[in-house]
Amino acid sequence: MPYPDLLEKLREEVGAKNVFTGEKKTAYYRSGFRSGLGGALAVIFPETLLQQWHILQHCVDSGCVIIMQGAKTGLTEGSCPSEGGYGRPVIIINSRRLTKLMLLDGGKQVLALPGASLHQLENLLRPLGRAPHSVIGSTSIGATIVGGIANNAGGALCKRGSSYTELSLFAQVDAAGKLQLVDHLGIRNLGETPEQIFERLEGGQIDSADLEAQDTPASDREYPSRIRDLEADLPNRYNADPKRLFELSGSAGKVAAFAVRVDTYPLPKKEQVFFLGTDQPDDLTKLRQQILTKFKELPEMCEYMNRDIFKVAERYGKDVFLSIKHIGTRRMPRAYALKSAIEHRLNKLKFLPRFLPDLLLYHLSRLFPQHLPQRLLEYRNRFNYYLILSMSDDGIEEARKYLGQEWKPRGEGDFFECTPKEQEAALLHRFAAAGAAIRYQALHQKTTEEVLALDIALLGNDPNWVESIPPEVQKRLDLSLDYGHFMCHVFHRDYIFKKGTDLRAMKAMLLECLDKKRAKYPAEHNVGHLYEAEPHLKSFYQELDPTNTFNPGIGKTSKSRPPLQSNEETPTSP
């Protein structure tokens, strides 16, 4: 089928308004959240599952590359085309108009279509006293439920692990080049044909009597016990964990999602945040060991920051802090999308500085008074390392007793119980830290290279979790920031190098150090086009997508299409 004919068929399927072509109109969708930009013949926006199915059929019949895209919030270029090398046209299918959510079993589980966001789910579950996997980070920038599962995305919550399910409905292309629909949702009476299944999913409620596979994991149910194992040979969570790669989970867009069934979680009755400070990393190491091996209750969250990230977030993340506090998380996904779209257009104007909206927001935030409570600022001045420890229900008294009677007397640190105002501020400050390095670099773009961001998972018993930077890297650094999810031993490290630094060489040296520590990376942002996938992950991608139709090149794999097998050679579809 000639490609003009393909575009015409796609327009007939979804309407001309839902087919974007041309460099200007497609540019936003061809770019990554932080970096990355590639070419595409068109961006398509299906409004029904049947439309998405027909689009896939047209694209497969035409031999196109297919990139499935949700909210486009990935940080490693995994949800956009990379530059060149495909040898065939690229079609981006953006699922953000397929947003239906359906409560199952009284809200203990939910069925989500591919464009449904964590923010939608949070609002749906709150009246039921339940919550989704992620509650502030990915939620606030509009990330989709399916996107998190496809990338085995992590999060800050100590009891929940990475996004994961074994109950899904997805399409894949078999070795003979045929599109197949795989129904592993575990729901009776959905139908026999794709048309019947899609009509049932989009048409109404699913009866509890139709739910099967109740014992099949719809979340990482083993995580609470795994996080407590300090002697494991591998980190407790990271993207490429072979035990968390299953069909759609960890697929990184190598199949096309239509629906997922996921667990939800009861909200705690009460929570209390403790703010801890110390100058001795060993104090925090001992605290972590005690909580994970002795406490009956795990924390809800335990977030680590060092003084550098505290100070940088205080100055360069202030507008994010104020936006969430005063605008609220409900409006944040739309605000992020609008900012990204404006920023992309303005970056094309060479006479303007790059990331102009960031610059304006930074200077505007400077007009507001100090936003952090006094006791947080006092700890910033007293100590070099901090924990934001959030406990719930029975765990509150457990932590209170341990901190007051054992941790503080034998160490050099201190702690206080946050008031509601301090609690809100501490958590918002930690969230604002995630984008502080990017904002810092935008303000210093004339003297620094772009941010080199690593998210890493250390072994559970690694005592040297405070990074020791090699001298040859240190001399090229303008700033390095260290923060993360302390109980999980998952850390985010942002490096900003002086202008003219070879970032590839710096990254290679840093990764070499991590390899010696048997760390895993990336821990929760997936390989995208920035990391090389491990051999078992490459094999997983190839098994899911033997014709390399979906998201070719991910994990630095080949972008080429292998020869198709004959029907006689093709194994039966699952």
Side-chain angles (χ1 to χ4, degrees), residues 241-276:
D241 184 349
K243 294 182 179 179
R244 254 55 66 181
L245 299 175
F246 186 88
E247 297 180 341
L248 181 62
S249 294
S251 62
K254 298 300 285 184
V255 297
F258 281 80
V260 293
R261 181 175 156 190
V262 294
D263 291 333
T264 68
Y265 311 84
L267 286 169
K269 294 180 177 63
K270 56 182 178 179
E271 292 186 65
Q272 177 62 54
V273 169
F274 300 85
F275 197 88
L276 290 72

Side-chain angles (χ1 to χ4, degrees), residues 345-399:
R345 286 168 172 79
L346 293 178
N347 281 350
K348 295 179 182 178
L349 303 177
K350 302 302 182 183
F351 61 89
L352 292 177
R354 298 184 70 216
F355 309 114
L356 185 58
D358 272 332
L359 305 185
L360 295 176
L361 287 170
Y362 165 77
H363 289 294
L364 179 62
S365 72
R366 302 288 290 167
L367 302 178
F368 289 79
Q370 173 59 252
H371 57 295
L372 296 179
Q374 186 59 37
R375 283 204 290 183
L376 266 67
L377 297 175
E378 289 174 358
Y379 270 50
R380 175 203 64 190
N381 295 331
R382 286 177 61 189
F383 301 112
N384 283 305
Y385 309 104
Y386 322 99
L387 285 188
I388 304 167
L389 176 65
S390 177
M391 303 297 297
S392 63
D393 299 334
D394 293 343
I396 296 173
E397 187 57 36
E398 196 172 16

